[in-house]
Amino acid sequence: MLYLCLSMAPIFSEVSKKPLQVMVSIPPQKEFLEAIGQHRVSVNVVLSKTQHAELFDPSSELLYQIANADVYVMVGTLAFEKKIQAYLKRVSPHIKVINSIDGLYLHQSFLEDDPHDWMVPEAVIHMVGVISHHLQKIDPVYSQHYQDQAKIYTEKLKELSNFLKKSLAQHQHRYFVITHPFLNHFSDYYYLRPLVLEVEGKTLTGKRLFNLIKKAKKEEANLIIIENESQRRRVRRLSKKLKASVKVLNPLAYHYIKNMTYLGTLFKENL
């Protein structure tokens, strides 16, 4: 994993009323940054909640906007981040780039090629620590502020993690169907078994789809998770075959803790 290691000399060495202009890769990070920085940060997002990270290609206009920020916070796993990273290194070397997953190792699965690390609260706890550490160096006058707010948000993430563990304790090794593999890390961490309806961005067909349906019936998978309402029609026939409920979960939702709490409740009530 590439990590842009730039000079960490303070860019806000004097007391300033002007907040740091921060760009983040995905909407959940906006909640992270605003929780840690509050009035000290103004946060904009590269990827909207309706776009696919795997297919996203930042426009020249968006790259220009990022280059004019003070800080860019990457998830550290998304393909488009490499393009942004290379662009900033070439045209805007002053910008501070933070790789949120720098030093992250929670489980063997986190070495796999799955970019959705933020779907596990323990990974986000690590990200919050990394972000807070760098903000303290960038804006040292408010170092204690970043420490205090990061601690408060971390406690909320720990509460979320405990809620998920309790909610899923009775459902370990249960199967569910999902349209896109954004819960692979989550499932591995909490011992669930996803049956994914696509491989490398393409929907399963033929024998592969037949085998998935056969497995889902055998394991009594009675839950199908889709990313948005537009996918409901796509799984209508399958839901009838499996007698499964269909639920929407957007991994790019801004309200991270609320969204993950909903996910825990969703599994608790439907598996």
Side-chain angles (χ1 to χ4, degrees):
M1 185 72 62
L2 292 174
Y3 177 53
L4 184 57
C5 185
L6 297 172
S7 170
M8 292 307 298
I11 60 175
F12 276 53
S13 57
E14 298 179 0
V15 176
S16 173
K17 293 182 180 180
K18 181 183 177 183
L20 289 168
Q21 298 300 308
V22 181
M23 293 293 298
V24 297
S25 293
I26 57 173
Q29 288 179 291
K30 182 175 170 67
E31 178 175 290
F32 308 161
L33 265 294
E34 290 178 343
I36 300 167
Q38 297 193 338
H39 70 284
R40 289 302 302 152
V41 296
S42 176
V43 187
N44 289 298
V45 184
V46 172
L47 187 75
S48 77
K49 66 178 182 180
T50 61
Q51 295 172 305
H52 278 284
E54 293 85 352
L55 304 175
F56 181 68
D57 185 25
S59 66
S60 57
E61 291 81 7
L62 181 57
L63 289 172
Y64 178 81
Q65 182 184 358
I66 299 169
N68 282 278
D70 299 312
V71 183
Y72 171 48
V73 183
M74 306 189 302
V75 174
T77 60
L78 303 173
F80 71 81
E81 292 176 324
K82 294 181 180 180
K83 180 175 180 177
I84 294 174
Q85 196 175 23
Y87 175 82
L88 293 176
K89 188 175 183 179
R90 186 175 70 255
V91 306
S92 191
H94 71 277
I95 191 172
K96 306 304 178 183
V97 179
I98 300 173
N99 183 341
S100 299
I101 64 164
D102 187 38
L104 174 65
Y105 181 83
L106 291 177
H107 196 282
Q108 183 65 30
S109 70
F110 278 76
L111 297 177
E112 297 175 0
D113 187 21
D114 181 349
H116 305 91
D117 290 13
W118 67 91
M119 295 306 291
V120 176
E122 282 77 4
V124 177
I125 289 172
H126 175 90
M127 293 178 187
V128 168
V130 171
I131 293 167
S132 174
H133 170 76
H134 283 274
L135 290 180
Q136 290 172 54
K137 289 182 176 295
I138 294 168
D139 191 17
V141 173
Y142 290 89
S143 177
Q144 191 61 49
H145 166 78
Y146 295 124
Q147 290 183 52
D148 293 343
Q149 297 307 317
K151 183 177 180 180
I152 291 170
Y153 191 65
T154 297
E155 287 303 313
K156 293 180 180 179
L157 291 169
K158 289 180 179 178
E159 290 176 6
L160 171 63
S161 178
N162 289 334
F163 167 76
L164 290 171
K165 289 174 182 176
K166 291 179 181 178
S167 298
L168 300 173
Q170 302 300 317
H171 303 286
Q172 291 183 4
H173 309 296
R174 288 283 294 155
Y175 283 78
F176 67 97
V177 178
I178 188 167
T179 53
H180 183 71
F182 63 83
L183 287 178
N184 283 359
H185 285 328
F186 180 94
S187 298
D188 196 64
Y189 199 86
Y190 293 104
Y191 302 101
L192 300 176
R193 299 290 179 263
L195 295 170
V196 185
L197 285 171
E198 66 176 50
V199 175
E200 297 179 351
K202 297 181 180 180
T203 303
L204 295 182
T205 57
K207 188 174 181 179
R208 280 185 168 184
L209 180 59
F210 174 82
N211 289 338
L212 182 143
I213 295 172
K214 183 178 179 180
K215 181 70 173 178
K217 286 182 176 179
K218 178 182 177 182
E219 300 295 343
E220 299 181 340
N222 55 6
L223 172 64
I224 301 174
I225 295 179
I226 59 178
E227 288 182 273
N228 52 64
E229 285 293 340
S230 66
Q231 294 181 340
R232 191 175 292 276
R233 184 176 180 181
R234 173 182 166 189
V235 300
R236 187 177 298 164
R237 292 179 62 186
L238 177 60
S239 65
K240 289 181 179 179
K241 286 183 179 181
L242 299 179
K243 298 180 180 179
S245 58
V246 179
K247 302 295 181 179
V248 179
L249 183 86
N250 188 340
L252 296 177
Y254 160 70
H255 296 288
Y256 177 77
I257 290 179
K258 181 180 178 180
N259 198 42
M260 296 301 291
T261 301
Y262 164 71
L263 176 59
T265 302
L266 186 156
F267 277 127
K268 182 178 181 180
E269 296 179 351
N270 291 278
L271 284 184

